[in-house]
Amino acid sequence: MTDLLAKLYPDHLATLQRRGDTALARAGFDHLVIAAGQPRMQFLDDRPYPFAVNPHFKHWLPVTRAPGSWIVHTPGQRPKLIYLQPHDYWHVVPEAPAGYWVEHFDIAIIRDAAEAKAHLPKDAARCAIIGEDNAAVDGYAPNNPEKALNCLHWHRAYKTDYELGMLRVASKLGVRAHRAAEAAFRNGASEYDINTAYLNAVHETENELPYTNIIALNQHGAVLHYTDLNRAPPAHANSFVIDAGASFHGYASDITRTYAAKQAGEFQALIDAVDAAQKGFVEKVQKGTNYADLHVHAHHVLAGILREQGFIRMSAEAAVASGVSGVFFPHGLGHPIGLQVHDVGGFQKDESGGTIPRPAGHPYLRMTRTLEPRMVVTIEPGLYFIDMLLAELKARPEAADIAWDKVDHFRQYGGIRIEDDVACGETTPENLTRDAFAAAA
Ligand code: GLY
Ligand code: MN
Ligand code: MN
């Protein structure tokens, strides 16, 4: 794998250099300067929050643990890495630069964060400096020019071959751990112990994961971002929603599966229907599909399932038009993914910025762009039995067309979400998640 990534990296770097040139031209600067960032301290404490590197930094290098370091891109020149290896006996000092990317950079090692100044372009006013405020060194405060960021964020949606390789590995790592978690569920483990099984298999610390694991048994599956991890197993674990990913050199996977215990055949039937629908949505991750349209299409299909399985008596069309489908599917179909689990640029109109609005009545959708080859998105439909939303529905006229006995009976299972990471191709989608599950089986 490393050999393949090494082969693909020069082209990736050349792509970022071209994008950097365009962003600088648009914003009117001469140098693109990217700060890795600095850890932030907890209030009144000498304890830092976990360090999260500037995603722009890890776009250029497979390096996520280099606080105080900088990248400088100047059109026509070799990229420069200013790399902080402090004199420090309290903490682990970042390793000396090593690997396939090193030969492509001019590297300056510094021992103190303030020394970066001597290696940054002389005229700070000509620098587009991308980073958080606390990364500043004397005279070089991040200015994050909007025109530069819009341009970079727009293009970030199009993954290079190198990035697709990174994302495939992130999916493989996540799937390996999902299989361990499913086994723990089948063995009757608690949420806490399922999470431990996941962490052991993914071999990443919780801080390294792209987001906090969602490990939800029974009705906890109705909490979209449930993160409590009960220590004790329930008397009967009938259903299990797991939404958990993995990181590979800063690239994320985001995977959700829902399982039913053997005795919960009625819930398995609903999972199977959502699973079939999800595969249909994945098939539409094709050049020219508008993601917002796909989200609305998903509402119609899911409402059809609710009707077929006897949860609602109205037509699917009426369920979507009245907002009933949104009671059972109250989040977006998915989002761009890459260097961040919810990657940037999902609403952008074009390279210069702008916003493509969400369809009315769909406030949580995170992507409205039209799909093109090299974009990677999640497809994560769900159906849930959420007490709060069902109580609101009960007070509406549509309540008369809800089969409440059936709905109430299903509250014990919480909900269903099935989430894959999918790369848009020229003619067929590449399902990174299902390919990884197939390879692992
Ligand atoms: N894991 C968060 C999400 O699926 O978007
Ligand atoms: Mn997701
Ligand atoms: Mn997820």
Side-chain angles (χ1 to χ4, degrees):
M1 190 66 214
T2 310
D3 285 353
L4 176 64
L5 292 171
K7 223 175 95 207
L8 297 175
Y9 181 74
D11 210 51
H12 170 72
L13 184 62
T15 301
L16 294 197
Q17 288 173 302
R18 278 197 305 278
R19 292 178 188 173
D21 293 354
T22 312
L24 288 169
R26 281 193 168 271
F29 290 93
D30 298 334
H31 312 276
L32 181 65
V33 174
I34 301 170
Q38 286 287 1
R40 286 193 185 272
M41 287 296 171
Q42 298 184 23
F43 185 52
L44 299 181
D45 207 334
D46 62 357
R47 214 181 145 212
Y49 290 106
F51 176 66
V53 69
N54 177 352
H56 288 271
F57 187 91
K58 62 180 177 170
H59 206 185
W60 287 72
L61 300 170
V63 173
T64 56
R65 274 188 281 194
S69 294
W70 300 75
I71 290 165
V72 180
H73 164 68
T74 304
Q77 294 183 20
R78 262 161 76 83
K80 182 174 189 176
L81 172 66
I82 303 164
Y83 193 73
L84 175 61
Q85 280 186 298
H87 286 298
D88 180 350
Y89 59 84
W90 289 91
H91 306 100
V92 174
V93 173
E95 285 169 26
Y100 51 79
W101 54 272
V102 169
E103 65 190 90
H104 301 281
F105 280 78
D106 288 334
I107 300 178
I109 304 287
I110 56 173
R111 300 297 179 190
D112 184 276
E115 285 172 28
K117 181 176 177 161
H119 301 277
L120 289 168
K122 290 292 159 266
D123 188 356
R126 300 303 309 147
C127 295
I129 307 178
I130 312 298
E132 285 190 277
D133 52 357
N134 67 336
V137 294
D138 180 30
Y140 294 83
N143 52 0
N144 295 308
E146 199 183 335
K147 286 180 182 169
L149 282 180
N150 283 344
C151 182
L152 295 173
H153 288 173
W154 169 261
H155 289 287
R156 208 161 103 190
Y158 304 91
K159 270 58 180 181
T160 62
D161 288 337
Y162 170 81
E163 293 184 285
L164 292 171
M166 296 293 224
L167 289 166
R168 285 184 196 109
V169 179
S171 285
K172 281 203 179 97
L173 297 173
V175 160
R176 185 172 75 195
H178 267 257
R179 287 163 57 86
E182 186 199 352
F185 161 67
R186 302 275 179 214
N187 281 332
S190 67
E191 293 168 346
Y192 183 88
D193 288 336
I194 294 172
N195 189 55
T196 303
Y198 187 95
L199 293 175
N200 283 337
V202 78
H203 236 245
E204 296 181 15
T205 68
E206 283 173 300
N207 291 334
E208 288 165 338
L209 292 176
Y211 58 94
T212 305
N213 289 348
I214 296 165
I215 307 270
L217 294 174
N218 295 343
Q219 67 273 24
H220 294 158
V223 181
L224 298 181
H225 285 172
Y226 175 84
T227 54
D228 261 13
L229 297 178
N230 270 2
R231 273 32 170 197
H236 302 284
N238 286 321
S239 61
F240 173 36
V241 175
I242 169 168
D243 184 344
S247 299
F248 185 65
H249 295 313
Y251 284 86
S253 59
D254 182 6
I255 303 168
T256 309
R257 286 294 181 269
T258 305
Y259 302 101
K262 281 208 178 63
Q263 66 273 19
E266 57 187 7
F267 187 57
Q268 186 64 54
L270 190 57
I271 295 174
D272 292 344
V274 175
D275 192 61
Q278 193 266 5
K279 287 185 196 160
F281 308 148
V282 167
E283 281 307 309
K284 295 187 189 306
V285 178
Q286 303 236 18
K287 184 175 172 173
T289 298
N290 176 266
Y291 197 90
D293 292 346
L294 186 55
H295 167 85
V296 173
H297 166 72
H299 268 265
H300 285 271
V301 173
L302 293 167
I305 291 172
L306 289 171
R307 185 183 157 90
E308 275 158 31
Q309 299 220 0
F311 293 94
I312 62 175
R313 291 186 282 264
M314 64 196 64
S315 69
E317 285 63 37
V320 176
S322 61
V324 167
S325 63
V327 171
F328 296 93
F329 174 39
H331 60 70
L333 181 63
H335 48 85
I337 184 168
L339 289 162
Q340 290 164 268
V341 63
H342 298 151
D343 218 355
V344 292
F347 303 101
Q348 230 172 289
K349 217 181 231 151
D350 56 36
E351 187 181 88
S352 65
T355 303
I356 308 167
R358 298 179 176 99
H362 298 271
Y364 298 114
L365 183 59
R366 284 198 173 96
M367 165 86 174
T368 50
R369 275 166 80 167
T370 292
L371 294 168
E372 291 182 68
R374 297 192 174 280
M375 288 184 176
V376 182
V377 294
T378 68
I379 296 291
E380 48 181 305
L383 285 177
Y384 308 84
F385 302 91
I386 300 172
D387 291 339
M388 185 185 109
L389 299 182
L390 293 174
E392 288 168 13
L393 177 58
K394 258 199 170 135
R396 286 162 43 186
E398 294 80 21
D401 279 332
I402 306 296
W404 287 107
D405 284 355
K406 174 134 187 171
V407 167
D408 291 342
H409 176 68
F410 270 69
R411 289 180 201 250
Q412 62 179 308
Y413 301 121
I416 296 169
R417 180 163 64 257
I418 296 169
E419 176 175 30
D420 292 340
D421 303 345
V422 185
C424 181
E426 280 289 341
T427 52
T428 50
E430 177 185 348
N431 191 324
L432 310 184
T433 308
R434 293 206 190 235
D435 288 354
F437 271 109

